[in-house]
Amino acid sequence: MSETNSAAEAAAPHRYTAALAADIEARWQDFWDAEGTYEAPNPTGDLAGDSELAAKPKKFIMDMFPYPSGAGLHVGHPLGYIATDVFARHQRMTGHNVLHTLGFDAFGLPAEQYAVQTGTHPRVSTEANIENMTAQLRRLGLGHDKRRSFATIESEYYKWTQWIFLQIFNSWYDTEADRARPIDELVAQFESGARPTPDGRDWSVLSAVERADILSEYRLAYASDAPVNWSPGLGTVLANEEVTADGRSERGNFPVFKAKLRQWNMRITAYADRLLNDLDGLDWPEAIKLQQRNWIGRSEGARVDFPVDGADAITVFTTRQDTLFGATYMVLAPEHELVERIVPDAWPEGTHPVWTGGHATPAEAVAAYRKLAAAKSDVERQAEAKDKTGVFTGAYATNPVSGEKVPVFIADYVLMGYGTGAIMAVPAHDARDFAFARAFELPMRCVVEPSDDRGTDPSTWDDAFASYDAKLVNSASDEISLDGLGVVDAKAEITEWLKEHGVGEGTVNFRLRDWLFSRQRYWGEPFPIVYDEDGVAHALPESMLPLELPEVDDYSPRTFDPDDADTQPETPLSRNAEWVNVTLDLGDGPKKYRRETNTMPNWAGSCWYELRYLDPNNDSKLVDPAIEQYWMGPREGQPTGGVDLYVGGQEHAVLHLLYARFWSKVLHDLGHISSSEPFHKLYNQGMIQAYVYRDSRGIAVPAAEVEERDGKFFHQGEKVSRVLGKMGKSLKNAVTPDEICAEYGADTLRLYEMAMGPLDVSRPWDTRAVVGQFRLLQRLWRNIVDEETGAVTVVAADPDEETLRALHKAIDGVGRDMAGMRFNTAIAKVTELNNHLTKAGGPVSRSVAESLVLLVAPLAPHIAEELWRRLGHTGSVVHQDFPVADPAYVVDETVTCVVQVKGKVKARLEIPPTISDEDLEAQALADPAVVAALGGAGIRKVIVRAPKLVNIVPA
């Protein structure tokens, strides 16, 4: 400590310093914990508590589930947590029962990867990370109801994650009722004959395997053999959403390949329409709604069947069924299940050499091309590559409207993930089909009349012609003619014809695919599923839950060469034979079973955690219905119910939000909860950024060691580059909240993060600027406490008129800003009031001081509690009423009105802000300067905009 600082502290021993802040903050955090200050009572049950508080209007405020990283927090992480805390505190002070807590999303890859590298069990490292993060968050003074906190790795929690999975497994979607129903009701329909089996046989004569296969086509959770995203380097399969745009794993950046494996899926597609339609009633950012709509991807069109000799028909989905006469070839995705069935032994006579890829037989050509396509990501396959690739299958299909035989190709630009995995190619009117047809010398037919002068012979065109505002041509047969019709009418005509002839129908398609729900990892929730000797899946009864994750010696998945696509997963749990092979009595006597050895994805635990916050100790129900109804039930303005405010990053726009919405809707349909949407209002906070400094090799250097000289930056004498980007340990620019708390205190950190700019905008961190908020708190302290004696200096005298106006304007503005989450402008208004009191000099009126402390309480709760107690109050500031502004002092006493004559200012009037148009006009016309300017001339028009403007137009 410098001599100057020592002298200053000796002269002012009660100054607000970092040391005093640390003492105040630690004391009040202990007090809040001991008193249960932030405990929100439920209307019933073990957390019922204060009935008077429970009777108040409720507010359920949530942050997105944090993952307990081993690196701990940097100052960017708490931005959203501080914001929700400030908002929650303001809501408590404005008469609400506020539920605000925080748990930990603790399963998943990072802990497992760390475990594989270090040999530390994932539970050990995860629990240590949780302990560290909890301590860091506590230091920030966050007002969480700690009774409600939990981690997803606790068996008491994942018991209910497994229970929800079984509800989904034991349900089917009834399209007529438009909701999920128990699978037993579907079985009853099959048993009674009300619903026929697929082949018409009686349900009673079907084997257990046959029944299971039929029900699997309906279940909302089902296992199937399907193309999946396989990452050999990670040793696991991934959902589409976990694969990056360049076809690599989001975690670890490994290559991802297409493979066919048996995996668990969630039939989220059954809810596509509801997931889309219910977005309208949510208070979410439009950008997030748009991302969800695009991911769901609803499109209207038609299903069309193209018969293939010796095999089933190829079914396509098209939004341009009006161009059916222009379909001159077809393309299947390389993974399409029909490919094996339609490939002949030899090339048909006259096969174009360009179509064969140089292979002797169709089987060889298809096998080679499939291997090539499997090494590409979906993004690479969809890229507008100049050279189109593909191969002829050797099979022909029949165009159902023209009767023409059209060749069937496989090509990587068609994906199984959209439509049916097959397309009818209309090369004259689709850019990709046009390029493919040119590459493979395929015929093209113009069926939509071009609006330019290119003519109707596609062989002379440079590109495809696509338009919805044109007439159909060359589209007639003996049975139907579309010639001369516009696109809309042609679509309607051909759709009706397809239906009448049994070769198609109008339908809706979605981009959304079913959710791949299996992971070949150890650190996740075990599936509560066992298989009998016939391979039929059976749900464990609720009495056997939770199925706990067993201890294993080797929890690493089997990984492979990241580039070796010809590999298969091997799960860690499969190596634990004693756990996998069990004898159980599931109600029909002891039998041998085999457990599912995949685990649930890390998304599972975060699909329903908002419900556990409500009733965290309930061991007999998912959630008490009365408690769920109280906190999340539908109400005016929130027709689908849900959390009142949910704050988190935009990166969860699709994955987490879509999955959580799906689980909520299933639970709602089955009668377990009253809310059909989990989160009513969503707010995306921005990001705190930091400068990244890199040396000549492009390697990040420690930001704290960089010097600035003449606008250039140097590290250990070497010039380095500077770019604004993310903050993180690997970028060597992370600043921890612990550092700032130690130097200034948690209240200063809270104020700085909220004052940096609008909450939804990213902003750069500047440690040097933190001191500004520290000085605000020092001035606040000095206005109430004598730095030399520690005595409170406020007086009983009433404040003067000017101070009253400053106070009530601040109360009005800060209250509005808090409610609107404009915390930066709220802080500016508090600063303005505090500066007014500082400049006024002399002791501050008690009434003003108390109001100022209450204004700052949501933002800087520790200093507010301390000052509130020093001002003589015994209760916590947390539950005090937020000040209410007196309207008489909010408006200015007078405002200046400009009076113009012929557009030029001739007078300025000081008038009451509430003056009427008539009175203001009379005052303006009577003003001597205005009378002189008119010079006796008549008046043609007077324009009054009270209270700021009068414009007089002479005759």
Side-chain angles (χ1 to χ4, degrees):
M1 185 182 294
S2 70
E3 290 184 16
T4 304
N5 286 342
S6 297
E9 291 192 14
H14 297 278
R15 174 171 294 175
Y16 184 80
T17 61
L20 180 58
D23 173 65
I24 289 171
E25 289 165 4
R27 278 193 290 106
W28 283 108
Q29 287 161 19
D30 289 344
F31 173 87
W32 293 331
D33 285 351
E35 295 295 317
T37 302
Y38 302 109
E39 293 178 359
N42 279 343
T44 187
D46 64 319
L47 302 184
D50 186 342
S51 59
E52 187 177 330
L53 183 53
K56 292 184 176 183
K58 63 88 188 183
K59 282 289 180 193
F60 185 5
I61 298 166
M62 264 181 66
D63 301 279
M64 286 190 182
F65 234 0
Y67 183 83
S69 166
L73 298 177
H74 60 63
V75 291
H77 291 125
L79 178 67
Y81 306 148
I82 295 170
T84 52
D85 188 60
V86 174
F87 185 75
R89 289 175 180 278
H90 178 254
Q91 291 297 305
R92 285 191 194 94
M93 296 176 75
T94 52
H96 294 86
N97 182 21
V98 176
L99 194 168
H100 189 213
T101 191
L102 195 70
F104 297 93
D105 191 11
F107 275 128
L109 276 173
E112 190 169 290
Q113 296 289 80
Y114 181 77
V116 171
Q117 293 164 12
T118 65
T120 307
H121 192 283
R123 182 175 297 280
V124 173
S125 60
T126 301
E127 288 178 348
N129 294 344
I130 289 173
E131 186 177 349
N132 179 53
M133 189 170 172
T134 300
Q136 285 188 297
L137 291 171
R138 183 181 190 272
R139 194 169 184 181
L140 298 174
L142 302 176
H144 293 151
D145 184 345
K146 296 181 180 180
R147 304 170 305 164
R148 300 174 184 265
S149 184
F150 56 82
T152 55
I153 59 175
E154 296 167 8
S155 59
E156 298 87 353
Y157 179 79
Y158 70 72
K159 164 188 175 178
W160 294 105
T161 307
Q162 294 170 335
W163 182 88
I164 295 171
F165 173 83
L166 293 180
Q167 303 309 301
I168 299 172
F169 173 73
N170 286 321
S171 302
W172 63 292
Y173 200 85
D174 184 344
T175 54
E176 292 184 8
D178 201 22
R179 65 176 180 87
R181 293 172 61 187
I183 200 76
D184 289 346
E185 295 180 12
L186 180 66
V187 172
Q189 291 182 14
F190 281 126
E191 287 177 337
S192 69
R195 183 182 293 265
T197 60
D199 62 5
R201 286 186 295 159
D202 193 85
W203 184 257
S204 62
V205 304
L206 300 180
S207 69
V209 173
E210 289 172 322
R211 292 179 184 179
D213 287 345
I214 291 173
L215 293 179
S216 185
E217 294 298 315
Y218 290 87
R219 290 186 188 273
L220 289 178
Y222 64 95
S224 68
D225 293 312
V228 296
N229 300 306
W230 165 236
S231 175
L234 278 177
T236 189
V237 299
L238 302 169
N240 290 338
E241 299 88 342
E242 294 172 299
V243 181
T244 64
D246 55 356
R248 303 179 77 85
S249 63
E250 193 174 50
R251 294 277 186 190
N253 196 36
F254 290 107
V256 176
F257 304 94
K258 285 294 182 186
K260 201 165 190 179
L261 300 169
R262 189 161 187 82
Q263 302 292 313
W264 281 98
N265 296 272
M266 292 276 181
R267 206 180 299 276
I268 192 173
T269 49
Y271 283 83
D273 265 325
R274 284 170 61 185
L275 288 167
L276 195 63
N277 296 336
D278 287 354
L279 284 169
D280 293 339
L282 300 180
D283 186 4
W284 287 17
E286 282 304 318
I288 302 299
K289 288 186 179 183
L290 180 61
Q291 287 185 64
Q292 291 243 327
R293 289 188 181 107
N294 289 343
W295 193 263
I296 296 167
R298 187 181 194 277
S299 52
E300 294 186 12
R303 172 185 61 77
V304 186
D305 296 329
F306 286 70
V308 180
D309 293 339
D312 298 333
I314 296 174
T315 299
V316 304
F317 170 80
T318 177
T319 59
R320 289 301 303 269
Q321 59 268 39
D322 55 302
T323 64
L324 251 171
F325 281 95
T328 57
Y329 67 97
M330 301 191 75
V331 183
L332 300 179
E335 307 87 356
H336 201 292
E337 63 177 3
L338 271 179
V339 174
E340 289 95 340
R341 302 212 294 270
I342 66 173
V343 173
D345 295 332
W347 294 115
E349 187 177 344
T351 296
H352 196 310
V354 176
W355 298 2
T356 67
H359 294 279
T361 67
E364 289 177 19
V366 166
Y369 189 79
R370 279 180 147 181
K371 189 169 185 179
L372 184 74
K376 292 184 181 180
S377 71
D378 286 358
V379 174
E380 289 175 306
R381 288 169 57 169
Q382 288 285 282
E384 294 295 332
K386 198 170 185 181
D387 299 322
K388 293 294 178 191
T389 64
V391 70
F392 179 41
T393 62
Y396 283 85
T398 302
N399 185 320
V401 292
S402 68
E404 295 177 349
K405 295 285 188 181
V406 294
V408 181
F409 284 75
I410 60 171
D412 61 11
Y413 77 94
V414 177
L415 305 177
M416 281 305 299
Y418 181 77
T420 63
I423 66 164
M424 62 174 212
V426 185
H429 306 294
D430 179 273
R432 291 186 306 165
D433 295 347
F434 185 93
F436 191 90
R438 278 285 162 88
F440 288 88
E441 301 178 19
L442 289 157
M444 297 189 233
R445 178 179 298 111
C446 172
V447 294
V448 180
E449 188 173 47
S451 54
D452 51 27
D453 58 1
R454 69 175 67 197
T456 57
D457 180 3
S459 66
T460 65
W461 297 357
D462 295 325
D463 54 17
F465 173 77
S467 174
Y468 278 89
D469 186 21
K471 290 183 178 180
L472 275 293
V473 295
N474 301 323
S475 298
S477 68
D478 293 341
E479 297 190 32
I480 186 172
S481 174
L482 305 179
D483 289 345
L485 295 178
V487 170
V488 174
D489 291 339
K491 279 186 176 184
E493 187 92 7
I494 194 67
T495 301
E496 185 62 31
W497 185 90
L498 290 168
K499 186 176 181 180
E500 286 177 1
H501 288 74
V503 290
E505 63 180 344
T507 188
V508 174
N509 192 62
F510 294 91
R511 179 179 179 266
L512 181 68
R513 298 294 92 194
D514 281 346
W515 174 16
L516 178 66
F517 201 70
S518 294
R519 296 295 180 274
Q520 290 67 46
R521 309 295 298 209
Y522 167 70
W523 195 232
E525 298 91 341
F527 282 92
I529 293 289
V530 292
Y531 299 91
D532 63 23
E533 293 178 337
D534 293 323
V536 174
H538 297 265
L540 291 182
E542 188 176 331
S543 61
M544 290 186 183
L545 301 182
L547 173 60
E548 297 198 20
L549 190 64
E551 296 296 321
V552 296
D553 295 327
D554 180 8
Y555 30 74
S556 59
R558 185 180 177 192
T559 57
F560 304 87
D561 179 339
D563 296 307
D564 187 358
D566 296 325
T567 48
Q568 291 278 318
E570 179 187 292
T571 65
L573 290 180
S574 66
R575 298 193 285 266
N576 188 340
E578 186 177 337
W579 183 83
V580 173
N581 300 301
V582 291
T583 299
L584 301 172
D585 185 350
L586 301 184
D588 53 355
K591 292 183 180 179
K592 291 182 179 179
Y593 294 97
R594 177 178 52 84
R595 295 195 192 278
E596 172 62 69
T597 61
N598 287 319
T599 53
M600 298 186 197
N602 61 299
W603 307 103
S606 60
C607 277
W608 73 280
Y609 70 120
E610 70 284 354
L611 297 172
R612 190 63 174 175
Y613 283 156
L614 307 181
D615 197 9
N617 305 318
N618 199 330
D619 194 46
S620 61
K621 288 182 182 177
L622 177 73
V623 60
D624 185 298
I627 294 173
E628 189 273 337
Q629 173 70 47
Y630 173 80
W631 288 111
M632 290 184 63
R635 62 203 63 222
E636 188 176 351
Q638 299 182 16
T640 52
V643 173
D644 296 291
L645 176 66
Y646 193 39
V647 174
Q650 294 184 31
E651 64 271 20
H652 298 292
V654 172
L655 283 168
H656 158 60
L657 292 173
L658 202 59
Y659 296 158
R661 296 181 64 214
F662 166 56
W663 278 36
S664 283
K665 290 186 184 301
V666 177
L667 291 171
H668 171 77
D669 286 357
L670 298 176
H672 299 300
I673 58 175
S674 64
S675 51
S676 58
E677 285 284 343
F679 315 116
H680 172 70
K681 180 178 176 65
L682 174 68
Y683 190 99
N684 297 129
Q685 85 273 19
M687 184 187 300
I688 289 183
Q689 299 171 305
Y691 287 110
V692 184
Y693 299 90
R694 297 186 184 276
D695 61 20
S696 57
R697 300 166 297 168
I699 296 174
V701 300
E705 299 174 10
V706 173
E707 298 177 9
E708 182 178 355
R709 299 198 296 266
D710 300 324
K712 295 177 182 177
F713 304 94
F714 298 86
H715 178 254
Q716 297 179 352
E718 180 191 351
K719 187 178 177 183
V720 294
S721 65
R722 184 179 83 160
V723 178
L724 189 63
K726 288 185 177 181
M727 182 180 284
K729 190 175 181 180
S730 64
L731 298 172
K732 299 182 180 177
N733 62 356
V735 179
T736 69
D738 302 24
E739 296 172 55
I740 303 302
C741 289
E743 189 168 357
Y744 298 107
D747 280 339
T748 294
L749 173 62
R750 292 169 60 101
L751 278 174
Y752 177 66
E753 295 215 359
M754 294 300 95
M756 290 172 76
L759 184 60
D760 59 349
V761 175
S762 293
R763 72 293 302 273
W765 177 267
D766 184 358
T767 300
R768 295 168 302 179
V770 177
V771 71
Q773 299 307 316
F774 184 57
R775 288 174 182 149
L776 165 62
L777 294 180
Q778 287 183 315
R779 287 192 295 271
L780 169 65
W781 183 265
R782 274 196 301 272
N783 279 328
I784 298 173
V785 177
D786 187 294
E787 291 185 334
E788 293 183 18
T789 67
V792 171
T793 58
V794 300
V795 295
D798 291 334
D800 58 36
E801 181 88 2
E802 186 180 358
T803 298
L804 275 174
R805 291 196 177 279
L807 171 65
H808 287 280
K809 280 187 177 182
I811 292 171
D812 180 64
V814 172
R816 291 175 189 272
D817 287 344
M818 290 278 190
M821 300 182 72
R822 298 182 296 273
F823 305 127
N824 60 319
T825 54
I827 292 170
K829 292 177 175 70
V830 168
T831 304
E832 188 177 347
L833 173 61
N834 197 48
N835 288 345
H836 168 84
L837 299 176
T838 302
K839 290 174 184 174
V844 177
S845 168
R846 168 173 285 276
S847 62
V848 175
E850 291 185 346
S851 292
L852 177 58
V853 169
L854 294 172
L855 287 181
V856 85
L859 296 154
H862 307 92
I863 194 174
E865 283 280 29
E866 183 72 13
L867 291 172
W868 191 249
R869 182 61 59 92
R870 289 188 181 221
L871 284 165
H873 301 282
T874 55
S876 169
V877 77
V878 170
H879 292 287
Q880 299 303 313
D881 290 338
F882 198 77
V884 177
D886 185 337
Y889 290 110
V890 172
V891 296
D892 291 324
E893 197 168 12
T894 62
V895 296
T896 302
C897 176
V898 172
V899 183
Q900 296 177 333
V901 178
K902 291 185 179 179
K904 293 182 179 180
V905 177
K906 295 300 179 182
R908 286 184 170 84
L909 309 176
E910 294 299 318
I911 48 97
T914 55
I915 193 170
S916 67
D917 286 359
E918 294 77 11
D919 289 346
L920 180 55
E921 180 179 340
Q923 282 197 37
L925 292 175
D927 185 86
V930 173
V931 173
L934 288 170
I939 297 171
R940 181 159 62 89
K941 192 175 186 182
V942 179
I943 302 168
V944 181
R945 296 286 183 267
K948 295 293 184 72
L949 175 69
V950 177
N951 192 5
I952 301 169
V953 183

